[in-house]
Amino acid sequence: MGEDPTRETLAVLDHDFPSYSEGKVVPHGLYDIGLNKAHVNLGTSHDTTQFACDSVERWWSLHGRHDHPNADKILILCDGGGSNPSRSPLFQQDLQALANRLKLEIRIAHFPPYCSKHNPIEHRVFPHVTRACEGVVFESVPLVKQLIERTQTRTGLQVTVDIIDRVYETGRKAALDLKASLRIVADALLPPWNYTILPNSTA
Protein backbone atom coordinates (compact mmCIF):
# COMPACT_ATOMS: atom_id res chain seq x y z
CA MET A 1 0.00 0.00 0.00
CA GLY A 2 1.25 3.47 -0.86
CA GLU A 3 0.68 6.75 0.92
CA ASP A 4 -2.86 7.33 2.15
CA PRO A 5 -4.55 9.38 -0.62
CA THR A 6 -6.77 11.16 1.92
CA ARG A 7 -3.70 12.95 3.38
CA GLU A 8 -2.74 14.64 0.12
CA THR A 9 -3.67 18.29 -0.49
CA LEU A 10 -5.47 18.70 -3.81
CA ALA A 11 -7.11 21.69 -5.49
CA VAL A 12 -10.54 20.80 -6.85
CA LEU A 13 -13.48 22.55 -8.51
CA ASP A 14 -16.63 23.12 -6.48
CA HIS A 15 -18.89 21.53 -9.14
CA ASP A 16 -18.67 18.13 -10.80
CA PHE A 17 -19.89 19.00 -14.29
CA PRO A 18 -19.10 16.18 -16.75
CA SER A 19 -17.44 18.69 -19.08
CA TYR A 20 -14.78 19.29 -16.42
CA SER A 21 -13.90 15.63 -16.03
CA GLU A 22 -11.16 13.66 -17.75
CA GLY A 23 -13.05 10.38 -17.65
CA LYS A 24 -15.98 8.51 -16.19
CA VAL A 25 -16.50 5.73 -13.69
CA VAL A 26 -19.77 3.77 -13.54
CA PRO A 27 -20.10 1.35 -10.60
CA HIS A 28 -22.28 -1.76 -10.79
CA GLY A 29 -22.39 -3.99 -7.72
CA LEU A 30 -23.46 -7.55 -6.96
CA TYR A 31 -23.93 -8.85 -3.44
CA ASP A 32 -24.01 -12.49 -2.35
CA ILE A 33 -26.21 -12.30 0.74
CA GLY A 34 -25.40 -15.81 2.00
CA LEU A 35 -21.63 -15.40 1.83
CA ASN A 36 -21.57 -11.67 2.69
CA LYS A 37 -19.39 -11.05 -0.36
CA ALA A 38 -19.74 -8.16 -2.80
CA HIS A 39 -18.21 -7.52 -6.18
CA VAL A 40 -18.15 -4.11 -7.83
CA ASN A 41 -17.45 -3.65 -11.52
CA LEU A 42 -16.29 -0.22 -12.61
CA GLY A 43 -17.32 0.74 -16.12
CA THR A 44 -15.61 3.55 -17.99
CA SER A 45 -18.29 4.15 -20.62
CA HIS A 46 -22.10 4.26 -20.24
CA ASP A 47 -24.56 2.73 -17.76
CA THR A 48 -26.47 0.54 -20.22
CA THR A 49 -28.37 -2.74 -20.05
CA GLN A 50 -25.47 -4.42 -21.83
CA PHE A 51 -23.07 -3.13 -19.18
CA ALA A 52 -25.31 -4.51 -16.41
CA CYS A 53 -25.37 -7.95 -18.04
CA ASP A 54 -21.62 -7.89 -18.65
CA SER A 55 -21.19 -7.01 -14.99
CA VAL A 56 -23.17 -10.08 -13.94
CA GLU A 57 -21.12 -12.23 -16.31
CA ARG A 58 -17.85 -10.86 -14.96
CA TRP A 59 -18.96 -11.57 -11.38
CA TRP A 60 -20.04 -15.10 -12.32
CA SER A 61 -16.77 -15.92 -14.08
CA LEU A 62 -14.59 -14.49 -11.28
CA HIS A 63 -16.55 -15.55 -8.21
CA GLY A 64 -20.05 -16.96 -8.66
CA ARG A 65 -19.22 -20.22 -10.41
CA HIS A 66 -16.45 -20.92 -7.90
CA ASP A 67 -18.55 -20.09 -4.84
CA HIS A 68 -21.57 -22.01 -6.17
CA PRO A 69 -20.19 -24.80 -8.39
CA ASN A 70 -23.46 -26.77 -8.43
CA ALA A 71 -25.74 -23.86 -9.29
CA ASP A 72 -27.94 -24.14 -12.36
CA LYS A 73 -29.80 -20.90 -11.75
CA ILE A 74 -29.19 -17.52 -10.13
CA LEU A 75 -31.52 -14.98 -8.55
CA ILE A 76 -30.81 -11.29 -9.14
CA LEU A 77 -32.59 -8.54 -7.21
CA CYS A 78 -32.73 -5.45 -9.41
CA ASP A 79 -33.90 -1.88 -9.20
CA GLY A 80 -36.69 -0.90 -11.56
CA GLY A 81 -34.68 1.58 -13.59
CA GLY A 82 -31.17 2.58 -14.52
CA SER A 83 -29.22 -0.11 -16.35
CA ASN A 84 -31.72 -2.85 -15.38
CA PRO A 85 -35.17 -1.33 -16.05
CA SER A 86 -38.22 -3.49 -15.41
CA ARG A 87 -40.07 -2.34 -18.53
CA SER A 88 -37.23 -2.59 -21.04
CA PRO A 89 -37.37 -5.17 -23.86
CA LEU A 90 -33.70 -4.38 -24.47
CA PHE A 91 -32.80 -5.49 -20.96
CA GLN A 92 -34.67 -8.75 -21.52
CA GLN A 93 -32.88 -9.21 -24.83
CA ASP A 94 -29.49 -8.76 -23.16
CA LEU A 95 -30.53 -11.05 -20.29
CA GLN A 96 -31.47 -13.74 -22.78
CA ALA A 97 -28.04 -13.47 -24.40
CA LEU A 98 -26.46 -13.66 -20.94
CA ALA A 99 -28.47 -16.75 -19.96
CA ASN A 100 -27.42 -18.38 -23.23
CA ARG A 101 -23.74 -17.63 -22.61
CA LEU A 102 -23.77 -18.79 -18.99
CA LYS A 103 -26.15 -21.71 -19.67
CA LEU A 104 -28.00 -20.77 -16.49
CA GLU A 105 -31.57 -19.87 -15.60
CA ILE A 106 -31.60 -16.24 -14.51
CA ARG A 107 -34.43 -15.33 -12.18
CA ILE A 108 -35.09 -11.58 -11.98
CA ALA A 109 -36.95 -9.83 -9.17
CA HIS A 110 -37.33 -6.08 -9.72
CA PHE A 111 -38.07 -3.77 -6.83
CA PRO A 112 -41.10 -1.54 -7.52
CA PRO A 113 -40.53 2.17 -8.19
CA TYR A 114 -39.18 4.08 -5.18
CA CYS A 115 -38.47 0.82 -3.30
CA SER A 116 -34.87 0.17 -4.33
CA LYS A 117 -33.73 1.29 -0.87
CA HIS A 118 -34.94 -2.11 0.34
CA ASN A 119 -32.44 -3.92 -1.88
CA PRO A 120 -29.90 -5.53 0.53
CA ILE A 121 -26.95 -4.15 -1.43
CA GLU A 122 -28.15 -0.61 -0.74
CA HIS A 123 -27.74 -0.86 3.03
CA ARG A 124 -25.26 -3.73 3.46
CA VAL A 125 -22.65 -2.72 0.88
CA PHE A 126 -22.87 0.73 -0.69
CA PRO A 127 -22.84 2.78 2.54
CA HIS A 128 -19.59 1.06 3.51
CA VAL A 129 -18.18 1.61 0.00
CA THR A 130 -19.05 5.29 0.33
CA ARG A 131 -17.25 5.47 3.66
CA ALA A 132 -14.14 3.82 2.17
CA CYS A 133 -14.05 6.52 -0.54
CA GLU A 134 -14.77 9.41 1.78
CA GLY A 135 -12.59 12.48 1.44
CA VAL A 136 -10.74 11.35 -1.68
CA VAL A 137 -10.83 13.01 -5.10
CA PHE A 138 -11.33 10.43 -7.85
CA GLU A 139 -8.34 11.15 -10.06
CA SER A 140 -8.35 7.81 -11.86
CA VAL A 141 -10.32 4.60 -12.20
CA PRO A 142 -7.50 2.53 -10.63
CA LEU A 143 -7.65 4.82 -7.59
CA VAL A 144 -11.40 4.22 -7.26
CA LYS A 145 -10.72 0.49 -7.47
CA GLN A 146 -8.09 0.77 -4.73
CA LEU A 147 -10.42 2.69 -2.45
CA ILE A 148 -13.40 0.37 -2.84
CA GLU A 149 -11.23 -2.69 -2.25
CA ARG A 150 -10.48 -1.49 1.26
CA THR A 151 -14.17 -1.58 2.21
CA GLN A 152 -14.74 -3.63 5.36
CA THR A 153 -17.27 -4.11 8.15
CA ARG A 154 -17.35 -5.70 11.58
CA THR A 155 -19.41 -8.55 10.15
CA GLY A 156 -16.65 -9.49 7.71
CA LEU A 157 -17.95 -8.07 4.43
CA GLN A 158 -15.58 -8.85 1.57
CA VAL A 159 -15.51 -6.56 -1.48
CA THR A 160 -13.65 -7.25 -4.70
CA VAL A 161 -13.41 -4.83 -7.62
CA ASP A 162 -12.79 -5.19 -11.33
CA ILE A 163 -12.65 -2.70 -14.22
CA ILE A 164 -14.69 -3.22 -17.39
CA ASP A 165 -12.96 -0.99 -19.90
CA ARG A 166 -15.39 -1.39 -22.80
CA VAL A 167 -17.26 1.25 -24.77
CA TYR A 168 -21.02 0.69 -24.63
CA GLU A 169 -23.33 1.99 -27.30
CA THR A 170 -26.24 4.19 -26.25
CA GLY A 171 -29.55 4.37 -28.09
CA ARG A 172 -29.68 0.67 -28.93
CA LYS A 173 -33.06 -0.76 -29.91
CA ALA A 174 -34.43 -4.23 -29.20
CA ALA A 175 -34.65 -6.60 -32.17
CA LEU A 176 -37.93 -6.57 -34.09
CA ASP A 177 -38.29 -10.35 -33.70
CA LEU A 178 -37.38 -10.23 -30.00
CA LYS A 179 -40.44 -12.11 -28.68
CA ALA A 180 -39.61 -15.14 -30.81
CA SER A 181 -36.14 -15.41 -29.27
CA LEU A 182 -37.08 -14.86 -25.63
CA ARG A 183 -37.64 -17.75 -23.24
CA ILE A 184 -39.31 -15.93 -20.36
CA VAL A 185 -41.46 -17.56 -17.69
CA ALA A 186 -43.35 -14.87 -15.80
CA ASP A 187 -44.31 -15.36 -12.16
CA ALA A 188 -47.97 -15.59 -11.23
CA LEU A 189 -47.36 -12.83 -8.67
CA LEU A 190 -46.44 -9.43 -10.14
CA PRO A 191 -45.26 -10.81 -13.51
CA PRO A 192 -43.98 -7.45 -14.85
CA TRP A 193 -41.39 -7.45 -12.06
CA ASN A 194 -40.75 -11.16 -11.46
CA TYR A 195 -39.71 -13.55 -14.21
CA THR A 196 -37.16 -16.19 -15.20
CA ILE A 197 -35.05 -16.19 -18.35
CA LEU A 198 -34.31 -19.72 -19.57
CA PRO A 199 -31.22 -20.39 -21.72
CA ASN A 200 -31.83 -21.48 -25.28
CA SER A 201 -30.63 -25.04 -25.73
CA THR A 202 -29.40 -24.25 -29.23
CA ALA A 203 -27.37 -21.21 -28.18
Side-chain angles (χ1 to χ4, degrees), residues 183-194:
R183 295 189 66 202
I184 293 184
V185 179
D187 282 17
L189 180 64
L190 301 175
W193 296 329
N194 303 300

Side-chain angles (χ1 to χ4, degrees), residues 11-17 20:
V12 298
L13 299 171
D14 61 353
H15 287 77
D16 59 351
F17 294 123
Y20 292 161

Side-chain angles (χ1 to χ4, degrees), residues 26-89:
V26 182
H28 187 275
L30 298 108
Y31 177 52
D32 188 322
I33 298 175
L35 297 179
N36 196 26
K37 295 173 62 174
H39 180 76
V40 178
N41 286 304
L42 302 176
T44 57
S45 179
H46 301 286
D47 192 20
T48 67
T49 59
Q50 199 170 30
F51 168 61
C53 291
D54 282 357
S55 180
V56 174
E57 184 172 14
R58 184 69 62 92
W59 162 79
W60 178 255
S61 65
L62 293 176
H63 304 285
R65 66 189 181 94
H66 303 292
D67 292 336
H68 308 281
N70 299 318
D72 56 6
K73 63 185 68 174
I74 55 177
L75 166 66
I76 303 176
L77 305 181
C78 298
D79 294 346
S83 58
N84 31 236
S86 59
R87 299 180 179 274
S88 169

Side-chain angles (χ1 to χ4, degrees), residues 83-104:
S83 58
N84 31 236
S86 59
R87 299 180 179 274
S88 169
L90 186 59
F91 182 48
Q92 294 181 348
Q93 175 179 297
D94 290 339
L95 279 173
Q96 183 68 67
L98 176 62
N100 294 344
R101 293 195 300 271
L102 299 184
K103 295 179 171 55
L104 291 171

Side-chain angles (χ1 to χ4, degrees), residues 93 96 100 175-184 200 202:
Q93 175 179 297
Q96 183 68 67
N100 294 344
L176 295 177
D177 59 348
L178 176 61
K179 288 187 177 180
S181 63
L182 290 180
R183 295 189 66 202
I184 293 184
N200 286 314
T202 58

